[in-house]
Each structure stands twice: as structure tokens, then as C-alpha cells.
Amino acid sequence: MPVSPEHFAAFVVASVILLIIPGPTIIMVITQALAHGRRTALASVMGVGLGDLLATSLSIAGAGALLAASASLFQVLKFVGAAYLIWIGYKMWRAPVTIPDIDGTDTATTGAVKPGAVFRDSFLVTALNPKGILFFVAFVPQFIDPALPYLPQAAIFVLTFTLLGVINAAMFAYAAAGARQTIRRPDVMRVAMRSGGSLLMVAGVAAALTRRAS
């Protein structure tokens, strides 16, 4: 077996604990699902999954070590990611909400939010997180069995973490979309959308002010 069963089980438990703590990407998923419904939420979940896959793969490929060694590169990616979070939060603040009809279809109050744009935003918010890459570089080695080949273990951990991340985001999205069908009030949905946007902008400012661990 390419991975020690004990190490794999410990990795899954640790990953689940890590993932259930909501971060900027989960805030985005919940807000989009509550404001625009399941179709938009699905696009957001898929964007998160692809972003996680890219970030974790890059960390295994050595990007994490490069970021840890290069303060300048870390600063550039940090500010790009922070600026994008603030921009997405601003867009969510101003975006229209849709009102679910009785049959479950959505009616936009003004203009529609395209799932493709939501997918792109979720992907970039997840992928443009240098601290996430650095964390995964520090996280995975704790579960690597030195008696087994490194690459197969790393690949399994990357795919497992990505799958768990998608499941986690989908559960939050499904719950938010269900709440949306119950609420069906545009003023409440608008407050939720603006609250989520505000949290993302705050997260962007906080990300810009954080320092790289020495």
C-alpha cells in the first residue's frame, strides 16, 4: 500500500478538523448559495475544489519551499490575493440577489450572476493564498511515512484533501441553499450577501497585514 493506513487515517481526521473551520472560501460559498441558489453554489464549490487541487499540488511540487525562502515573492502573492479578496467582497456587496420561485427556479432582482464568474472567483480566491500553500507544506510531512516512497503518499494526500474540501464546501452550500428556499425574502438575502462581502473585504485587509512566519 502506498500510504500507511494509520498515517492516512490521522491525515483524514486532521484535514476534516481543519476544513470545518470556515475561511474566506467557505464564506463565499455560503453567501453565494444563500443569495443565488444551488446552481451558483455548485460553480463556487467546483472553483474551491480546483483551487485546492492547484494550491496543494504546487506546495508538493516545491512552490511552498520557494515562498518560504523568498520574502519578496511571498509579499507579491500575499498582496495580489488580498486585493482579490477585497475586490470579490466589493462585488458581492453590490451584486443583485435572486428570489427563488415556488417551483425552485430563480428570478433575478436586477441582472444575473453568471456561474462561470463565480467559479473563476472561487478558484482564484482559493489558489491565490500563499499562506495556504505554506501551511500545506508544513501539514503534509507530519503524515509522511519515511519508510515508503514520498511521491505516491503526497499525491494521495493532495487528492484526499481536495476531495474532502469539495465535500465540505458542498455541505455548507447545500445547507445555505436549503435555508434560501425557506427564507425567500430578498431583503434578508441582500443582508446576507453584503455581510459575506464585508467579511471577505475584512479578510483581504487582514491578509494584507499579516507577516510571513520566520
Side-chain angles (χ1 to χ4, degrees):
M1 187 174 181
V3 178
S4 164
E6 295 81 6
H7 289 190
F8 181 75
F11 176 82
V12 169
V13 171
S15 296
V16 169
I17 294 173
L18 172 66
L19 288 168
I20 61 176
I21 302 173
T25 54
I26 294 301
I27 292 172
M28 178 183 298
V29 167
I30 293 173
T31 306
Q32 296 285 16
L34 187 60
H36 301 298
R38 286 191 177 93
R39 184 183 176 192
T40 299
L42 178 61
S44 185
V45 169
M46 293 299 101
V48 170
L50 185 59
D52 275 336
L53 180 61
L54 177 62
T56 53
S57 298
L58 287 176
S59 69
I60 295 300
L66 180 60
L67 285 172
S70 174
S72 298
L73 180 58
F74 180 86
Q75 288 291 102
V76 169
L77 287 182
K78 181 185 75 171
F79 284 120
V80 169
Y84 200 78
L85 267 178
I86 294 171
W87 168 243
I88 296 304
Y90 173 75
K91 289 205 306 179
M92 290 177 69
W93 175 273
R94 294 187 52 111
V97 300
T98 55
I99 305 170
D101 297 328
I102 299 299
D103 61 1
T105 57
D106 288 335
T107 301
T109 56
T110 57
V113 174
K114 296 180 179 179
V118 172
F119 173 86
R120 177 202 63 209
D121 292 343
S122 299
F123 166 71
L124 291 176
V125 165
T126 307
L128 290 175
N129 184 4
K131 294 192 73 175
I133 295 177
L134 290 174
F135 178 80
F136 200 76
V137 168
F139 182 62
V140 170
Q142 311 301 318
F143 305 95
I144 294 291
D145 187 342
L148 297 173
Y150 171 79
L151 190 57
Q153 294 183 81
I156 289 174
F157 288 146
V158 164
L159 293 175
T160 300
F161 187 87
T162 300
L163 178 60
L164 291 173
V166 169
I167 293 172
N168 178 66
M171 291 175 62
F172 277 108
Y174 183 81
R180 164 188 167 78
Q181 290 294 331
T182 302
I183 297 171
R184 300 190 72 252
R185 290 178 55 186
D187 53 340
V188 175
M189 295 178 189
R190 190 171 293 107
V191 169
M193 193 74 169
R194 291 182 174 180
S195 297
S198 298
L199 288 173
L200 287 180
M201 287 188 280
V202 170
V205 172
L209 296 177
T210 55
R211 296 183 178 181
R212 184 178 61 127
S214 56

